[in-house]
Amino acid sequence: MSVELAEPIYQGGVKPGWQDAGWSEREVQGPGPAKVMMADRGGWMLKHSSPVHGTFGGLALRYKAPSGFGEFLEIRLDSEGKTVFPRVSVTSRHVLGQDGDWVQLLIPMAELNPDMKAFDRLVLRARTSVGSDWVEVEGLGFTHPGAQMSEMPKGVASLALVEVAYQDGVKPGWEASGWSEREVQGPGPAKVMMAELGGWSLRRMQPLQSGFSGLAFRYKAPSAYGDFLEVRLDAADKTVFPRVRVGPQHVVNHQDDWIQVLVPWPELNPKMQPFDRVIMRAHKRVGSEWVQLDSLGFTSAEAAMGMAAPAMEMGMGMGMSQARKAVGPPRPASLSVDCTAPSHYISSQIYGIAFDALKESSGTDQWELGATVRRWGGNPTSRYNWKLNAWNTANDWFFRNTAPGDRPQFTYDDFLMANRTHGMQSALTLPMLGWVARDTSSVSFPLSKFGPQERMDPEVKEAGNGRSSSGRELTPLAPSQTSVAAPPEFIAEWVRALRQKDMKRGRSVHMYFLDNEPMLWNSTHRDVHPEPATYDELLERTLSYGTAVREADPDAVIAGPAEWGWTAYFRSAADVAKGATPDADRKAHGNLPLLPWYLRKLREEEKKTGTRILDVVDVHYYPQADGVSPDKGEKTDPESAALRIRSTRALWDPSYKDESWIAEPVRLIPRLKKMVEDNYPGRGIAIGEYNFGAARHMSGGLAQAEALGRFAEGGLTAAFYFATPPPRSPAWWAFRAYRNFDGHGGRFQDAYVPSSAEEGTSLFASRSVDGRHLVAIALNVDPDTARSARVELKGCGVLKGSRVMTYAGEPSGFAEQQAPGMSAGMMEAQLPPYSITVLDLTLEPAKAPGKPSAEKGQRPASP
């Protein structure tokens, strides 16, 4: 592993024109790597015989040092004149790759020499105290503009991908098609004949939203073809995407005859529109030899990179840093943790994620981010037939019956056992719509019966989207076209079958959800439920199916009604249906908002029958402001990023007027608590789906960290991110802040402790039940200004030890800060711009803390 050098300095020995100039003990005569002793902040200087001018891409070197040294290197240029050059601390953002114990670095010239001044020497030194082992250095020199990786071992020269379409074969969730001769079944590279302007297409079964940084792939073609490739995105609708001709500006590196390409996202998708396919073709006539392609997919936003410093895949993948340089000096910030105030237990189920059917067998990131529970949910689960392992994709994807998961044999029980294997709990959605899939092949709006439609499934030609060519909704056939009846007994049989299995293996389902978003059934599942749901239908189905579940599993935790969002908290689908009298259904039920009415009726039912049906009230929440959530565009411009972070105030702040069509305070958690208190005391609260968008951008990471803190503060029973944050994205690291910030199990503790923070910052605190361990998470949501935080620990005891770890967008995650200033009841910490900082504290309590309220895991009491 090395980088092409325009001006070598040391490569097996000091190169002509350069000389060794000291100063620590060293062995630099060659052949072989230079060896330098950097104990006592030692280092090495190399001097050129004359001033060096010219434009370089950066300084490259390989080094080998004991892992205990950590990040210790500092590099700078120098000259005999009065010019002062920056001292650059080498961090993970400068790492291109690793080969065994050797680390390849590339420091951009913009950091070393921002004013492009002449220099004649290079200084490498330790910026921290390290041991007396040798530091070995090799391949030291300046790169051409547009540095390229070379001599890479097979398999290392591909970019880190967060969505893979083809890698030694077509990946699950994707299918290959095209108009040219091709061999794409794998294993190995795809082979496509591009003579006569031939090409190839890859289509994803579920459309993708924007939010990537680029399209990456490797290709091999005869050199005589020259620049011949054209790539574009496409969608099943009428969206038109740019055609991008691949040129030298897109080439990241060469490896033998293979060329690594990265096409930036703004060229492919400047309007950030959803898409479902990638098309590659020759834009000019070429020969009839194979064009080979591999490692084709999309890179994450944090992996956005200039051609001068390509971050190469190694192990988990290295993206480029999103860390920001502070503008101006840090501003002071006063934060406080109040251990004298009442505390409460934190439910472990607030760190939940969703089951992603298309990614179940790919990657390990869903198991590594620290989530504690996974939810089997989403639109298809309303139609899941547990006996046949079949569901219907509804209007998400052409109303098709299919098997769940990315493998046909994947079942609900595989889901439960996978969670158990990885130490996670399970939440399971139970259908109560009344119809489930009859097989894995039927479609609701077949071409043979309805003719061509507005959109047809490219994979299953018989499946249409249920709209005429003009866009008019088609009247569905009878539900039996795709489905069989699923009365309450059908669901009770499923629950009994689970309990029977659990007698040997222990409980496998820790929460049941009564279906999914009933007030959208008439659109999502209009092929079997075309009429809008009413107050009475929701209650009747909840009573009949909920009672069946309770009888089958008396100890079950049952949640509902899993409503989709703001409108459905207050009105039925019938209240807002097109052509209906507005709010007629609500007015017929005492003009009570839907959720309070629902809770009150269930309380009355329990009093009358003695059967508790509902344990947890569950709703879904997606911010509605333009550009924030996944279905609103996920914009990351400065204004949208700030709006995304502000929108989290809708979870808790009664003074925050929602900046969307809602246009009033949402105060979601306090609102739900009040509804429960007034109408059915003792119920828990769950947010079964939520997502603040832009998971790959630091604003999305900060919003996610804020949300988790508010869930802990608000005492929620459960919360489930939809679906799973992309691996090593800022939202992924936000989970890790609470669940495994140090990679060794460091986590937010079990009791929530009240805290306060200045505007522009947030602080969430927790401690162990014995009061000896306190973990707090501080957020700086200012993109430009660092904060010097002074954290008061009121009544927490004597501070015995501290560790401060910060994430500000670095691909490597949390890094430990220098030892903070601290006294008995106070500590200091630096909060970089746009950052998540964990304060991990050891305390000697002045007295034993009081027992937190709300016993962990307690089921609600009877009314």
Short mmCIF file of all heavy atoms in Angstrom, two decimals, residues 232-262:
data_model
loop_
_atom_site.label_atom_id
_atom_site.label_comp_id
_atom_site.label_asym_id
_atom_site.label_seq_id
_atom_site.Cartn_x
_atom_site.Cartn_y
_atom_site.Cartn_z
N ARG A 232 -26.31 7.10 -15.29
CA ARG A 232 -27.42 7.96 -14.83
C ARG A 232 -28.30 7.16 -13.90
O ARG A 232 -28.28 5.92 -13.88
CB ARG A 232 -28.24 8.50 -15.99
CG ARG A 232 -28.98 7.47 -16.81
CD ARG A 232 -29.75 8.14 -17.96
NE ARG A 232 -30.32 7.17 -18.87
CZ ARG A 232 -31.54 6.67 -18.79
NH1 ARG A 232 -32.33 7.06 -17.79
NH2 ARG A 232 -31.99 5.80 -19.67
N LEU A 233 -29.09 7.88 -13.10
CA LEU A 233 -30.13 7.28 -12.29
C LEU A 233 -31.44 7.30 -13.06
O LEU A 233 -31.56 7.98 -14.09
CB LEU A 233 -30.29 8.06 -10.97
CG LEU A 233 -29.02 8.26 -10.14
CD1 LEU A 233 -29.34 9.09 -8.90
CD2 LEU A 233 -28.40 6.94 -9.76
N ASP A 234 -32.41 6.57 -12.56
CA ASP A 234 -33.73 6.58 -13.20
C ASP A 234 -34.76 6.21 -12.16
O ASP A 234 -34.44 5.72 -11.07
CB ASP A 234 -33.76 5.62 -14.38
CG ASP A 234 -34.83 6.00 -15.41
OD1 ASP A 234 -35.59 6.96 -15.14
OD2 ASP A 234 -34.92 5.36 -16.47
N ALA A 235 -36.02 6.46 -12.50
CA ALA A 235 -37.14 6.13 -11.62
C ALA A 235 -38.30 5.69 -12.47
O ALA A 235 -38.35 5.94 -13.68
CB ALA A 235 -37.52 7.34 -10.77
N ALA A 236 -39.26 5.01 -11.84
CA ALA A 236 -40.40 4.50 -12.58
C ALA A 236 -41.36 5.61 -12.99
O ALA A 236 -42.19 5.41 -13.87
CB ALA A 236 -41.13 3.46 -11.74
N ASP A 237 -41.26 6.77 -12.35
CA ASP A 237 -42.13 7.87 -12.73
C ASP A 237 -41.49 8.67 -13.85
O ASP A 237 -40.60 8.18 -14.56
CB ASP A 237 -42.47 8.74 -11.53
CG ASP A 237 -41.23 9.33 -10.86
OD1 ASP A 237 -40.17 9.35 -11.50
OD2 ASP A 237 -41.34 9.76 -9.69
N LYS A 238 -41.89 9.89 -14.02
CA LYS A 238 -41.42 10.70 -15.15
C LYS A 238 -40.20 11.56 -14.82
O LYS A 238 -39.81 12.41 -15.61
CB LYS A 238 -42.57 11.58 -15.65
CG LYS A 238 -43.76 10.79 -16.17
CD LYS A 238 -44.89 11.71 -16.63
CE LYS A 238 -46.08 10.89 -17.13
NZ LYS A 238 -47.20 11.77 -17.58
N THR A 239 -39.58 11.33 -13.67
CA THR A 239 -38.40 12.10 -13.29
C THR A 239 -37.27 11.88 -14.30
O THR A 239 -37.00 10.76 -14.71
CB THR A 239 -37.91 11.69 -11.89
OG1 THR A 239 -38.99 11.84 -10.96
CG2 THR A 239 -36.74 12.56 -11.46
N VAL A 240 -36.63 12.97 -14.69
CA VAL A 240 -35.50 12.91 -15.62
C VAL A 240 -34.23 13.25 -14.87
O VAL A 240 -34.14 14.30 -14.22
CB VAL A 240 -35.70 13.87 -16.81
CG1 VAL A 240 -34.48 13.85 -17.72
CG2 VAL A 240 -36.96 13.51 -17.59
N PHE A 241 -33.24 12.36 -14.92
CA PHE A 241 -31.96 12.56 -14.24
C PHE A 241 -30.87 12.87 -15.27
O PHE A 241 -30.94 12.40 -16.42
CB PHE A 241 -31.58 11.31 -13.45
CG PHE A 241 -32.49 11.00 -12.30
CD1 PHE A 241 -33.63 10.23 -12.48
CD2 PHE A 241 -32.23 11.48 -11.03
CE1 PHE A 241 -34.48 9.94 -11.43
CE2 PHE A 241 -33.06 11.20 -9.96
CZ PHE A 241 -34.20 10.43 -10.17
N PRO A 242 -29.85 13.61 -14.88
CA PRO A 242 -28.77 13.93 -15.82
C PRO A 242 -28.01 12.68 -16.27
O PRO A 242 -27.86 11.71 -15.53
CB PRO A 242 -27.85 14.85 -14.98
CG PRO A 242 -28.69 15.34 -13.87
CD PRO A 242 -29.67 14.26 -13.57
N ARG A 243 -27.52 12.72 -17.51
CA ARG A 243 -26.62 11.69 -18.01
C ARG A 243 -25.19 12.19 -17.77
O ARG A 243 -24.83 13.28 -18.23
CB ARG A 243 -26.84 11.45 -19.50
CG ARG A 243 -28.24 10.95 -19.86
CD ARG A 243 -28.45 10.92 -21.36
NE ARG A 243 -29.79 10.50 -21.71
CZ ARG A 243 -30.14 9.24 -22.00
NH1 ARG A 243 -29.20 8.30 -22.00
NH2 ARG A 243 -31.38 8.94 -22.31
N VAL A 244 -24.40 11.42 -17.04
CA VAL A 244 -23.06 11.84 -16.66
C VAL A 244 -22.03 10.99 -17.42
O VAL A 244 -22.03 9.76 -17.30
CB VAL A 244 -22.84 11.71 -15.14
CG1 VAL A 244 -21.42 12.13 -14.77
CG2 VAL A 244 -23.87 12.53 -14.38
N ARG A 245 -21.17 11.65 -18.16
CA ARG A 245 -20.10 10.94 -18.86
C ARG A 245 -18.88 10.84 -17.94
O ARG A 245 -18.39 11.85 -17.44
CB ARG A 245 -19.74 11.64 -20.16
CG ARG A 245 -20.88 11.58 -21.18
CD ARG A 245 -20.47 12.05 -22.55
NE ARG A 245 -21.54 11.82 -23.52
CZ ARG A 245 -21.43 12.04 -24.82
NH1 ARG A 245 -20.27 12.49 -25.32
NH2 ARG A 245 -22.44 11.79 -25.64
N VAL A 246 -18.44 9.64 -17.71
CA VAL A 246 -17.33 9.40 -16.79
C VAL A 246 -16.03 9.85 -17.44
O VAL A 246 -15.68 9.40 -18.55
CB VAL A 246 -17.25 7.91 -16.41
CG1 VAL A 246 -16.04 7.64 -15.53
CG2 VAL A 246 -18.54 7.48 -15.70
N GLY A 247 -15.32 10.74 -16.76
CA GLY A 247 -14.06 11.27 -17.28
C GLY A 247 -12.96 11.19 -16.25
O GLY A 247 -13.16 10.67 -15.13
N PRO A 248 -11.79 11.73 -16.56
CA PRO A 248 -10.67 11.68 -15.62
C PRO A 248 -10.98 12.30 -14.26
O PRO A 248 -10.41 11.89 -13.24
CB PRO A 248 -9.57 12.48 -16.35
CG PRO A 248 -9.94 12.40 -17.80
CD PRO A 248 -11.43 12.38 -17.84
N GLN A 249 -11.88 13.27 -14.24
CA GLN A 249 -12.20 13.93 -12.96
C GLN A 249 -12.92 12.99 -12.00
O GLN A 249 -13.00 13.27 -10.80
CB GLN A 249 -13.06 15.18 -13.20
CG GLN A 249 -14.50 14.92 -13.64
CD GLN A 249 -14.65 14.76 -15.13
OE1 GLN A 249 -13.69 14.42 -15.83
NE2 GLN A 249 -15.85 15.01 -15.64
N HIS A 250 -13.43 11.88 -12.50
CA HIS A 250 -14.15 10.93 -11.65
C HIS A 250 -13.27 9.77 -11.20
O HIS A 250 -13.73 8.93 -10.41
CB HIS A 250 -15.36 10.38 -12.40
CG HIS A 250 -16.34 11.41 -12.84
ND1 HIS A 250 -16.64 11.64 -14.16
CD2 HIS A 250 -17.06 12.32 -12.12
CE1 HIS A 250 -17.52 12.62 -14.25
NE2 HIS A 250 -17.80 13.05 -13.02
N VAL A 251 -12.06 9.69 -11.71
CA VAL A 251 -11.19 8.55 -11.41
C VAL A 251 -10.47 8.78 -10.08
O VAL A 251 -9.79 9.79 -9.89
CB VAL A 251 -10.17 8.31 -12.53
CG1 VAL A 251 -9.18 7.22 -12.14
CG2 VAL A 251 -10.90 7.93 -13.82
N VAL A 252 -10.63 7.83 -9.16
CA VAL A 252 -9.98 7.92 -7.85
C VAL A 252 -8.63 7.22 -7.87
O VAL A 252 -7.65 7.72 -7.34
CB VAL A 252 -10.89 7.30 -6.76
CG1 VAL A 252 -10.19 7.30 -5.42
CG2 VAL A 252 -12.19 8.09 -6.67
N ASN A 253 -8.56 6.04 -8.45
CA ASN A 253 -7.28 5.33 -8.51
C ASN A 253 -7.32 4.24 -9.57
O ASN A 253 -8.37 3.91 -10.12
CB ASN A 253 -6.90 4.75 -7.15
CG ASN A 253 -7.85 3.65 -6.71
OD1 ASN A 253 -7.99 2.62 -7.37
ND2 ASN A 253 -8.52 3.86 -5.58
N HIS A 254 -6.14 3.69 -9.86
CA HIS A 254 -5.97 2.56 -10.76
C HIS A 254 -5.36 1.41 -9.96
O HIS A 254 -4.51 1.62 -9.11
CB HIS A 254 -5.03 2.90 -11.92
CG HIS A 254 -5.53 3.99 -12.81
ND1 HIS A 254 -6.11 3.75 -14.04
CD2 HIS A 254 -5.53 5.34 -12.66
CE1 HIS A 254 -6.45 4.91 -14.60
NE2 HIS A 254 -6.09 5.89 -13.78
N GLN A 255 -5.78 0.20 -10.26
CA GLN A 255 -5.15 -0.99 -9.70
C GLN A 255 -5.05 -2.00 -10.82
O GLN A 255 -6.05 -2.56 -11.27
CB GLN A 255 -5.97 -1.58 -8.54
CG GLN A 255 -5.34 -2.84 -7.97
CD GLN A 255 -6.26 -3.53 -6.99
OE1 GLN A 255 -6.94 -2.87 -6.23
NE2 GLN A 255 -6.28 -4.85 -7.02
N ASP A 256 -3.84 -2.24 -11.27
CA ASP A 256 -3.64 -3.07 -12.47
C ASP A 256 -4.48 -2.46 -13.59
O ASP A 256 -4.33 -1.29 -13.92
CB ASP A 256 -3.99 -4.53 -12.19
CG ASP A 256 -3.12 -5.12 -11.09
OD1 ASP A 256 -1.94 -4.74 -11.04
OD2 ASP A 256 -3.61 -5.94 -10.30
N ASP A 257 -5.38 -3.24 -14.18
CA ASP A 257 -6.22 -2.72 -15.27
C ASP A 257 -7.57 -2.21 -14.77
O ASP A 257 -8.42 -1.81 -15.56
CB ASP A 257 -6.45 -3.83 -16.30
CG ASP A 257 -5.16 -4.23 -17.01
OD1 ASP A 257 -4.30 -3.35 -17.19
OD2 ASP A 257 -5.02 -5.42 -17.36
N TRP A 258 -7.77 -2.24 -13.45
CA TRP A 258 -9.04 -1.79 -12.88
C TRP A 258 -8.99 -0.31 -12.54
O TRP A 258 -7.98 0.19 -12.04
CB TRP A 258 -9.37 -2.59 -11.62
CG TRP A 258 -9.85 -3.97 -11.91
CD1 TRP A 258 -9.09 -5.09 -12.05
CD2 TRP A 258 -11.20 -4.38 -12.12
NE1 TRP A 258 -9.87 -6.17 -12.32
CE2 TRP A 258 -11.18 -5.77 -12.37
CE3 TRP A 258 -12.43 -3.71 -12.11
CZ2 TRP A 258 -12.34 -6.50 -12.61
CZ3 TRP A 258 -13.58 -4.43 -12.34
CH2 TRP A 258 -13.54 -5.82 -12.60
N ILE A 259 -10.08 0.37 -12.79
CA ILE A 259 -10.19 1.81 -12.51
C ILE A 259 -11.31 2.01 -11.49
O ILE A 259 -12.43 1.51 -11.66
CB ILE A 259 -10.50 2.59 -13.80
CG1 ILE A 259 -9.35 2.43 -14.81
CG2 ILE A 259 -10.74 4.07 -13.49
CD1 ILE A 259 -9.63 3.05 -16.16
N GLN A 260 -10.98 2.72 -10.41
CA GLN A 260 -11.98 3.06 -9.39
C GLN A 260 -12.58 4.42 -9.72
O GLN A 260 -11.87 5.41 -9.90
CB GLN A 260 -11.34 3.11 -8.01
CG GLN A 260 -12.28 3.62 -6.91
CD GLN A 260 -13.36 2.63 -6.55
OE1 GLN A 260 -13.07 1.52 -6.11
NE2 GLN A 260 -14.62 3.02 -6.74
N VAL A 261 -13.91 4.47 -9.78
CA VAL A 261 -14.63 5.68 -10.16
C VAL A 261 -15.53 6.13 -9.01
O VAL A 261 -16.12 5.30 -8.31
CB VAL A 261 -15.48 5.42 -11.43
CG1 VAL A 261 -16.44 6.57 -11.70
CG2 VAL A 261 -14.57 5.19 -12.62
N LEU A 262 -15.62 7.43 -8.81
CA LEU A 262 -16.59 8.01 -7.89
C LEU A 262 -17.25 9.19 -8.59
O LEU A 262 -16.59 10.19 -8.91
CB LEU A 262 -15.94 8.48 -6.60
CG LEU A 262 -16.87 9.16 -5.59
CD1 LEU A 262 -17.96 8.20 -5.12
CD2 LEU A 262 -16.10 9.69 -4.39
#
